[in-house]
Amino acid sequence: MVASTFELFKIGVGPSSSHTMGPMSAAADFVARLRDQGILDHITRVEAKLFGSLALTGKGHATDRAILLGLSGQVPDNIEPDAADALVDQIRTRERISLDGKQDIDFDEVADVIFDQRKRLDFHSNAMRFTVFKDEEELASRVYYSVGGGAILNEDQIGANNPENGLWDVPHPFCSGTDLLDIAKTKGLCIADIMRNNERAAKSDEEISVGIRQIADAMSHCIDRGIRSEGILPGGLKVKRRAPLIHARLMERQERALSDPLTVLDWVNLWALAVNEENAAGGKVVTAPTNGAAGIVPSVLRFYERFSPQADVEGIEKFLLTAAAIGSLFKENASISGAEVGCQGEVGVACSMAAAGLTAAWGGTPLQVENAAEIGMEHNLGLTCDPVAGLVQVPCIERNAVGAVKAIEAARLAIMGDGTHRVSLDEVIETMRKTGLDMSERYKETSQGGLAVNLVEC
């Protein structure tokens, strides 16, 4: 299946696409089904049980908060963080919740939101089960999986082997990098045009351009909010926001910076840090392809806009459409979930997407784009996901800055070549998938290994 640009780039809230946005969407879907089935009015109790990575790092990723919001009928793409905070505080103070905003019942969060850290469901580590009761009688129950990037699947879709949004009938179906290059060669199209033609199966050209503009604007606004916002990030690690201070220092030394050719990298670092600090604070971000890696594509896109003489609206569209095509390959053939394949599936995929997008916006050929995407992932293979205290802060925030710079380097290397290279994108995607399978569960968003353990011990 070819994933849509608008599936890979979703506007939502932090700190995690798989642990915050996914559970919120799942809870909201569950209560909406109950409403449609006429069950809602009979419910006296609701229970949410979390398994695997959701149970192990859910509290640090605000999964409990997300579930409260989802059960209240809230969804990630239109929620306002301040209003969400007020609603969660109200639920916890009153010890009551209004299911789908309609059925008001007693709610004991300690008893009704259960983190089962000993059990992992077979299909995916990010699993949850919602159950509702009338007194002691079970009325309905449903299992959901948060599979990365804010996407969810329910138990029926798993059994039927269906994608979350059904089959997408497109003019240029592709399942591999080889497919993309073959289509580009035989049809005389660039990768962005292939993706745009596919999007036309569901949207008009104007709707596509407006949607892409909304994504780019949301990314830009997130950078700007992160630069303005000061303070300590929530969660207990006492991580201080650095973006405002770095921005002030860069502005103070603008004239001196003219003699330092690497100052541009300071700006890229700033933009990536700003996004991921905003994400860690629960702010509004764009999955790219996940929240944990949300700073890479926006910072590289702003690098293109600010430091490329040829930058224009067409280039921005080409950047994001190309990045989405590459992200689709990883989602289809491997994973974009840190709980499934480690951080190579988040920061690694984002680096690959940004490298491909930048190369395309610079006028690179499809071969050069594929080369850039391959470089971006090849040098992130084996990257573990070991968030300290289960928070998307250490090492996640800095890792985005490093990933953004690495994406620019991958694009520059690809542009300097003719597109021929020894390792193909398909080979590196398969290597990433197998590496994820071989990786210990401790290093897949469980906070049971790596920095998450050693930093505390030290």
Side-chain angles (χ1 to χ4, degrees):
M1 184 188 75
V2 181
S4 168
T5 303
F6 306 104
E7 291 174 33
L8 287 157
F9 296 122
K10 296 190 188 79
I11 299 173
V13 292
S16 171
S17 50
S18 60
H19 286 57
T20 311
M21 289 174 59
M24 190 188 303
S25 297
D29 181 81
F30 181 64
V31 294
R33 286 174 180 268
L34 298 176
R35 179 198 64 216
D36 295 343
Q37 293 166 5
I39 297 174
L40 203 61
D41 294 343
H42 304 288
I43 296 168
T44 59
R45 178 173 171 257
V46 62
E47 177 187 277
K49 184 172 280 192
L50 309 171
F51 306 98
S53 178
L54 284 182
L56 290 164
T57 63
K59 289 191 177 179
H61 288 60
T63 304
D64 45 357
R65 177 179 180 273
I67 285 174
L68 268 57
L69 292 167
L71 290 175
S72 302
Q74 303 293 316
V75 290
D77 58 344
N78 62 15
I79 197 168
E80 289 299 328
D82 290 342
D85 290 341
L87 178 55
V88 170
D89 288 344
Q90 182 185 68
I91 293 169
R92 288 172 170 166
T93 301
R94 294 177 60 230
E95 296 188 345
R96 292 183 67 81
I97 191 167
S98 182
L99 298 180
D100 199 37
K102 297 174 177 64
Q103 174 70 350
D104 200 53
I105 62 172
D106 289 336
F107 186 73
D108 180 351
E109 187 174 350
V110 174
D112 296 335
V113 180
I114 302 165
F115 291 81
D116 189 343
Q117 299 184 348
R118 296 183 178 182
K119 187 172 183 179
R120 183 192 192 280
L121 301 194
D122 290 339
F123 176 72
H124 197 285
S125 183
N126 289 337
M128 67 206 97
R129 177 185 292 118
F130 298 100
T131 308
V132 289
F133 305 85
K134 179 180 181 182
D135 300 325
E136 297 301 318
E137 178 190 358
E138 180 179 311
L139 297 179
S141 183
R142 199 168 191 82
V143 174
Y144 290 85
Y145 300 90
S146 181
V147 295
I152 58 170
L153 296 174
N154 63 52
E155 58 193 64
D156 294 337
Q157 291 169 315
I158 298 303
N161 195 29
N162 286 333
E164 61 267 30
N165 292 319
L167 294 176
W168 193 35
D169 186 15
V170 296
H172 306 305
F174 59 87
C175 294
S176 67
T178 299
D179 288 346
L180 268 179
L181 293 178
D182 286 346
I183 295 167
K185 184 176 181 180
T186 57
K187 302 292 185 180
L189 299 171
C190 68
I191 290 173
D193 287 339
I194 294 171
M195 203 63 182
R196 177 176 276 276
N197 285 346
N198 285 345
E199 298 294 349
R200 287 182 178 130
K203 298 178 183 289
S204 67
D205 270 326
E206 183 179 359
E207 288 173 327
I208 294 167
S209 293
V210 168
I212 292 173
R213 186 70 258 168
Q214 288 173 339
I215 290 167
D217 287 346
M219 289 178 173
S220 183
H221 292 158
C222 186
I223 291 174
D224 294 338
R225 283 196 310 273
I227 289 173
R228 293 192 305 267
S229 302
E230 299 180 349
I232 304 296
L233 294 173
L237 283 182
K238 298 181 179 179
V239 173
K240 184 177 181 181
R241 285 183 182 249
R242 286 180 287 175
L245 179 59
I246 293 173
H247 181 255
R249 288 178 175 173
L250 286 173
M251 296 301 291
E252 286 172 1
R253 67 182 197 191
Q254 286 187 80
E255 291 185 7
R256 283 178 292 168
L258 295 174
S259 62
D260 182 0
L262 295 182
T263 297
V264 62
L265 298 186
D266 294 334
W267 285 99
V268 174
N269 286 329
L270 164 67
W271 298 328
L273 292 174
V275 170
N276 282 85
E277 287 174 355
E278 189 67 15
N279 176 62
K284 211 155 202 178
V285 298
V286 179
T287 62
T290 67
N291 284 28
I296 295 174
V297 170
S299 57
V300 177
L301 180 60
R302 182 165 284 196
F303 165 78
Y304 164 73
E305 292 177 295
R306 296 286 176 86
F307 295 105
S308 300
Q310 74 272 37
D312 56 17
V313 172
E314 182 181 351
I316 293 170
E317 291 192 358
K318 186 173 288 188
F319 185 114
L320 291 173
L321 286 167
T322 303
I326 299 303
S328 177
L329 294 178
F330 282 98
K331 186 174 182 180
E332 171 72 10
N333 297 306
S335 176
I336 58 171
S337 169
E340 197 168 20
V341 294
C343 197
Q344 57 176 356
E346 297 200 34
V347 163
V349 173
C351 179
S352 181
M353 291 169 63
L358 181 59
T359 302
W362 276 344
T365 66
L367 285 170
Q368 290 172 319
V369 168
E370 187 262 0
N371 188 192
E374 182 277 323
I375 294 170
M377 174 50 75
E378 183 179 342
H379 303 290
N380 280 292
L381 288 173
L383 195 61
T384 61
C385 185
D386 51 356
V388 175
L391 300 168
V392 190
Q393 297 178 20
V394 180
C396 318
I397 295 172
E398 286 183 353
R399 189 169 284 177
N400 274 257
V402 174
V405 173
K406 195 179 290 188
I408 294 169
E409 173 68 4
R412 291 179 68 87
L413 282 171
I415 283 289
M416 287 191 290
D418 61 4
T420 58
H421 53 108
R422 181 62 185 84
V423 180
S424 72
L425 176 59
D426 292 333
E427 288 169 332
V428 85
I429 291 174
E430 177 61 8
T431 302
M432 187 269 266
R433 186 186 71 83
K434 289 181 176 177
T435 301
L437 290 174
D438 291 339
M439 190 180 291
S440 168
E441 288 293 319
R442 289 177 299 174
Y443 301 111
K444 293 194 276 191
E445 211 165 356
T446 61
S447 291
Q448 294 181 323
L451 278 176
V453 174
N454 293 320
L455 183 63
V456 175
E457 290 179 349
C458 293

